[in-house]
Amino acid sequence: MDIDGLGAYGIVFKVLVRGRGLYTAIVSSILMTLLVILTYERVSTYLLYLMVLPTALTSLVIDEDRITQFFNSGLIVGASPKFFNNAIIIASLIYALIYSAPYVVYYTLSHDATLILFVLMTVLLCDVAVLKTYLNAVKRGVIRLVM
Amino acid sequence: MSSEIVILLRDVWKGYRVGSTVNYVLRGVNAEFYKKEIVGIHGPSGAGKTTLLRIIAGLERPDRGEVVVDGYNLNMLDELGLAMLRNTIVSYIPQDYGLIEELTVWENVEMPLLLAGIPKDVREVKVSEVLEYIGLLSKSRIKVSKLSGGERQRVAIARALVTTPSALLADEPTANLDWENAVKVAELFRRIKDDFDTTVIIVTHDPRLLDFMDRSMNLVDGKLKEISG
């Protein structure tokens, strides 16, 4: 993928890809997916719901310094509020997609194809909402003196 | 130095709430900064130098008073307007340089142009020109995290210059340098104001640096006072 072709949003990808958080997220998601396969029909789905979100947040927090630098730097060089909002949505969506793998596998194993899309959308919405809240909190910390 | 005013401050007040009281660090600051001049603002720690610089950069709002930069009254600008001001008219170099460590020198310098939506071919010319000027073209593909403190500072200067701003604001640019390197940085800023036709404002707690300025001011008791001679 030509990240340079994404314009200013390429910066968001570069910051995420070069951080440790994204790799932690991928590894965590793979491990959770394996756990789902191994414990299928032995562990409640609620446990699955409970474990993903905190793990997603934890892996994002690993990159807090970089995320702070990104907001700080963006603010100094005149990134618009819309750019920040879109960057937050992009970052949240990337993490949410990575952490949707265990759910997709679970509902694939259950052969309930109609549920997959529904669950995936629900998971993505929940994850994006929570991750967005976290990223917005970091952003507010950086720009608390502005406005 | 020309007679064209680039930055105008009129009765600027700024305070911070501590408990139930407000401590005013700026108490009616008045000043004019002209095109193509280099001005040093001196004052002890906690005098409000950084606050003043951040207000001129549109990073903070004054509690009272007027700030006009290149014809734009900052009170009249919303968040987007202030962002555009920082992107095109005023460049601010914070004491910690405000760089993204995981990006390369080139990527950090290119960032303001990307945000402004400048086409790639124009970006490449501008970034390489400014990196050559600052002497970092050969290190353009190196991550900022691998650079020395002095080199990081030059990256921050290059990023500030790439948009050819009307005003360049530097917060304690020599704070972490020995005197020999501090002189080099001061001389670099002098060259910049001539080569880029820009107004340079430097805040410093080091009075020796003021010898390199066209004008010097003292921030005392929340007010700016010109240092004569």
Side-chain angles (χ1 to χ4, degrees), chain A residues 97-116:
Chain A
L97 276 169
I98 291 169
Y99 280 106
S100 64
Y103 298 98
V104 172
V105 169
Y106 183 89
Y107 286 99
T108 307
L109 288 173
S110 67
H111 301 293
D112 200 344
T114 52
L115 264 181
I116 291 178

Side-chain angles (χ1 to χ4, degrees), chain A residues 13-26:
Chain A
F13 284 100
K14 283 173 184 170
V15 171
L16 286 177
V17 167
R18 292 177 196 172
R20 287 188 293 267
L22 198 69
Y23 297 105
T24 311
I26 291 167

Side-chain angles (χ1 to χ4, degrees), chain A residues 7-94:
Chain A
Y9 294 106
I11 302 164
V12 182
F13 284 100
K14 283 173 184 170
V15 171
L16 286 177
V17 167
R18 292 177 196 172
R20 287 188 293 267
L22 198 69
Y23 297 105
T24 311
I26 291 167
V27 172
S28 304
S29 183
I30 291 169
L31 288 175
M32 279 191 280
T33 307
L34 287 173
L35 201 65
V36 164
I37 294 166
L38 293 172
T39 61
Y40 180 66
E41 282 189 338
R42 270 175 282 180
V43 175
S44 161
T45 47
Y46 294 113
L47 193 65
L48 180 65
Y49 295 144
L50 284 174
M51 72 180 179
V52 170
L53 213 48
T55 317
L57 268 175
T58 308
S59 51
L60 194 52
V61 169
I62 289 171
D63 276 340
E64 185 169 346
D65 283 351
R66 279 179 192 80
I67 293 165
T68 306
Q69 275 178 13
F70 169 77
F71 286 130
N72 189 30
S73 192
L75 198 67
I76 289 166
V77 300
S80 68
K82 187 183 164 195
F83 172 80
F84 278 138
N85 289 338
N86 289 344
I88 286 171
I89 291 170
I90 290 168
S92 309
L93 202 57
I94 289 171

Side-chain angles (χ1 to χ4, degrees), chain A residues 18 66 69 73 75 77 146, chain B residues 59 86-87 101-102 107:
Chain A
R18 292 177 196 172
R66 279 179 192 80
Q69 275 178 13
S73 192
L75 198 67
V77 300
V146 185
Chain B
L59 285 162
R86 289 193 294 274
N87 187 245
E101 301 261 317
E102 288 306 309
E107 288 160 350

Side-chain angles (χ1 to χ4, degrees), chain B residues 16-158:
Chain B
Y16 295 104
R17 188 168 287 281
V18 182
S20 57
T21 56
V22 179
N23 282 347
Y24 283 97
V25 286
L26 303 179
R27 297 164 175 267
V29 171
N30 290 292
E32 289 165 355
F33 300 95
Y34 299 93
K35 188 174 179 175
K36 227 175 153 178
E37 71 167 343
I38 182 165
V39 182
I41 297 176
H42 175 254
S45 281
K49 303 186 298 292
T50 298
T51 302
L52 182 65
L53 225 50
R54 288 173 60 87
I55 286 174
I56 297 170
L59 285 162
E60 285 190 53
R61 299 268 194 194
D63 294 338
R64 192 148 41 108
E66 237 177 21
V67 181
V68 181
V69 180
D70 213 17
Y72 293 93
N73 186 332
L74 269 51
N75 290 344
M76 309 296 280
L77 298 179
D78 60 6
E79 210 177 331
L80 178 61
L82 290 176
M84 288 173 77
L85 180 99
R86 289 193 294 274
N87 187 245
T88 53
I89 294 168
V90 182
S91 287
Y92 172 64
I93 305 170
Q95 203 174 337
D96 66 358
Y97 313 135
L99 300 167
I100 302 177
E101 301 261 317
E102 288 306 309
L103 296 185
T104 63
V105 170
W106 182 282
E107 288 160 350
N108 269 285
V109 176
E110 190 184 29
M111 196 171 166
L113 302 177
L114 275 167
L115 290 164
I118 306 290
K120 191 175 181 179
D121 50 341
V122 180
R123 286 200 313 265
E124 284 185 351
V125 172
K126 280 179 177 264
V127 174
S128 52
E129 274 176 3
V130 79
L131 283 177
E132 192 165 9
Y133 179 84
I134 224 82
L136 278 176
L137 190 57
S138 61
K139 296 196 171 180
S140 64
R141 302 294 167 194
I142 295 173
K143 277 187 188 175
V144 165
S145 57
K146 307 269 187 242
L147 299 179
S148 68
E151 287 171 331
R152 283 174 200 217
Q153 184 182 47
R154 281 192 284 153
V155 176
I157 295 171

